[in-house]
């Protein structure tokens, strides 16, 4: 399963409680992972940084409902200089809580995920 990392915990909380959320990704690694996925695929998203992904990392398994890859203009400073960045917008739907069992790093990280359909609080 593809892995998307460094997602704010508040976004993960909204996904878990509301059942769906839209995220905009701008980091190269996350945009590459989004590009490699299709609508209907499941992905693993976590608040952990890419460098910290390891066995035992907790996150959410989510299904991609809608995907949009495009360019956005961003202002580099107050003098009007702009540059374009590639960004990915994903509409995600909660599927399960997950935990990494095995991780394969690289440009597009993939992991074997152990799913838990029940949320344990406390």
């Amino acid at each position: 399963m593809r892995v998307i990392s460094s997602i704010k915990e508040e976004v993960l909380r909204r996904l878990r409680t509301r059942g769906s959320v839209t995220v905009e990704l701008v980091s190269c690694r996350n945009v590459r992972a989004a590009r490699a996925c299709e609508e209907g695929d499941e992905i693993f998203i976590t608040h952990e940084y890419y460098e910290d992904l390891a066995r035992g990392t907790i996150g959410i398994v989510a299904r991609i409902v809608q995907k949009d890859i495009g360019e956005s203009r961003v202002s580099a400073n107050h003098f009007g200089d702009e540059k374009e960045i590639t960004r990915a917008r994903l509409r995600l739907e909660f599927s399960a809580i997950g935990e990494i069992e095995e991780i394969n790093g690289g440009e597009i990280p993939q992991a074997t995920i152990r799913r838990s359909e029940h949320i344990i609080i406390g």
Side-chain angles (χ1 to χ4, degrees):
M1 185 176 298
R2 306 265 192 255
V3 177
I4 294 187
S5 58
S6 304
I7 302 297
K8 289 184 180 181
E9 288 191 55
E10 175 59 28
V11 173
L12 297 175
R13 190 175 308 112
R14 278 196 320 247
L15 177 58
R16 194 175 63 241
T17 58
R18 293 184 189 167
S20 66
V21 70
T22 299
V23 295
E24 184 168 81
L25 310 168
V26 293
S27 77
C28 275
R29 191 171 282 116
N30 285 343
V31 170
R32 284 186 187 129
R35 252 196 188 138
C37 296
E38 299 296 327
E39 291 178 2
D41 289 353
E42 286 190 332
I43 59 171
F44 179 76
I45 63 172
T46 182
H47 72 278
E48 296 287 345
Y49 291 112
Y50 169 77
E51 296 80 13
D52 297 331
L53 295 176
R55 181 182 174 94
T57 298
I58 301 290
I60 293 178
V61 177
R63 187 174 62 82
I64 300 172
V65 176
Q66 190 174 20
K67 174 178 111 169
D68 176 44
I69 308 285
E71 305 295 323
S72 290
R73 289 183 180 254
V74 293
S75 179
N77 55 42
H78 296 290
F79 303 109
D81 293 339
E82 291 184 343
K83 62 181 179 177
E84 280 192 352
I85 60 168
T86 302
R87 56 104 184 116
R89 287 179 54 85
L90 300 176
R91 180 74 179 163
L92 302 174
E93 187 174 84
F94 180 86
S95 186
I97 296 295
E99 180 180 343
I100 293 179
E101 288 186 338
E102 185 179 334
I103 183 82
N104 297 329
E107 286 189 22
I108 303 174
Q110 292 193 38
T112 303
I113 305 298
R114 184 178 59 186
R115 298 168 65 104
S116 174
E117 306 299 330
H118 304 285
I119 299 174
I120 298 173
I121 299 174

